[in-house]
Amino acid sequence: MNWFECKVRYDKMVEQGIVKKVTESFLVDALSFTEAEARIIEEQTPFISGEFSVSAVKRTKISEIFRDDRADKWYLAKVAFITIDEKTAAEKRAISQILVAGSSFDGAYDNFKDGMKGVMGDFDLVSLTETALLDVYSREYKSQAEKDQEKA
């Protein structure tokens, strides 16, 4: 799956009724840049009144996402998976990026640990940093509220 970070620029009503031009970041799964742009337009149209533009679309190296319906922030975990080269017996580290939801740093760290419970190999958490992403749109994932709404 390819993950694309999309930046959407629009006029937003901020405190005290002032209209300010803002740029917000979102993550979408798509096969191409064109599809990513179309998906973010489709997802954001119901939430933005007035005109908006997609100011940037870039491919990310995110390999996996650990979600939490209660969380409101996204953290990027850089993980080093450790393997041993059979010929040289040297230790190799392959870096992967995992997006983790959390309401706080501690919540994201706990979600990361829960998501990595089934991993058989050795790994080190290199970094865990908060991102500017507001939401993640995936075709496969639906929150529990969306699933309940579909059943009704």
Side-chain angles (χ1 to χ4, degrees), residues 28-72:
V28 297
D29 70 330
L31 298 174
S32 67
F33 287 89
T34 306
E35 182 186 358
E37 184 176 9
R39 292 263 337 272
I40 197 62
I41 289 170
E42 174 188 334
E43 295 289 351
Q44 287 301 297
T45 298
F47 301 109
I48 299 174
S49 61
E51 293 184 24
F52 68 94
S53 65
V54 179
S55 59
V57 177
K58 71 176 184 178
R59 188 183 310 265
T60 67
K61 294 182 179 181
I62 293 171
S63 61
E64 194 165 346
I65 295 182
F66 297 155
R67 296 180 182 272
D68 182 353
D69 289 338
R70 299 161 296 172
D72 59 349

Side-chain angles (χ1 to χ4, degrees), residues 6-15 18-26 44 47-49 51-56 134:
C6 299
K7 294 190 183 226
V8 177
R9 188 161 176 80
Y10 66 100
D11 292 328
K12 182 177 186 178
M13 183 78 68
V14 292
E15 295 176 17
I18 299 170
V19 176
K20 184 177 179 182
K21 193 154 273 299
V22 296
T23 302
E24 296 179 335
S25 296
F26 301 92
Q44 287 301 297
F47 301 109
I48 299 174
S49 61
E51 293 184 24
F52 68 94
S53 65
V54 179
S55 59
L134 292 181

Side-chain angles (χ1 to χ4, degrees), residues 117-141:
K117 278 185 180 173
V119 174
M120 300 295 283
D122 293 334
F123 64 89
D124 288 330
L125 178 60
V126 176
S127 68
L128 184 63
T129 55
E130 187 175 346
T131 69
L133 294 173
L134 292 181
D135 210 346
V136 175
Y137 298 108
S138 171
R139 293 189 197 282
E140 295 100 34
Y141 178 77

